[in-house]
């Protein structure tokens, strides 16, 4: 949420990039296809891999998406 929170804390992004905000579980689920595409397929998120996401974590995101992108409330 440092980039995609309603009030980003990232040093580069002062507003959520592209207006994308992950502020509720419902919003995360609704944006699951976009998360999958950018983080797993294109590997363009996180931006410049700023958080050092690993291939294993990308695989975990892929499995989460394939299993229905369920979120906890």
């Amino acid at each position: 949420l440092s980039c995609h929170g309603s009030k980003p804390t990232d040093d580069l992004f002062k507003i959520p990039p592209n207006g994308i905000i992950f502020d509720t579980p419902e919003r995360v689920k609704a944006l699951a296809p976009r998360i999958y595409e950018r983080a797993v397929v294109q590997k363009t998120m996180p931006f410049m891999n700023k958080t050092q996401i690993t291939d294993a974590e990308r695989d975990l995101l892929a499995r989460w998406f394939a299993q229905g992108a369920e979120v906890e409330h």
Side-chain angles (χ1 to χ4, degrees):
L1 293 176
S2 64
C3 295
H4 290 286
S6 58
K7 295 180 183 174
T9 57
D10 184 79
D11 56 340
L12 181 62
F13 297 106
K14 302 305 176 196
I15 60 171
N18 297 317
I20 303 296
I21 300 172
F22 301 131
D23 56 349
T24 66
E26 293 80 16
R27 187 84 175 130
V28 171
K29 185 168 178 69
L31 290 167
R34 187 174 182 136
I35 294 167
Y36 174 79
E37 180 64 28
R38 296 294 304 274
V40 177
V41 176
Q42 296 177 11
K43 297 185 179 180
T44 56
M45 286 285 129
F47 180 69
M48 297 177 60
N49 203 18
K50 190 170 188 171
T51 62
Q52 303 297 306
I53 189 173
T54 66
D55 286 339
E57 290 168 321
R58 291 183 195 280
D59 290 343
L60 182 61
L61 278 172
R63 288 193 308 274
W64 166 75
F65 181 75
Q67 295 172 0
E70 292 303 318
V71 293
E72 293 182 11
H73 295 275

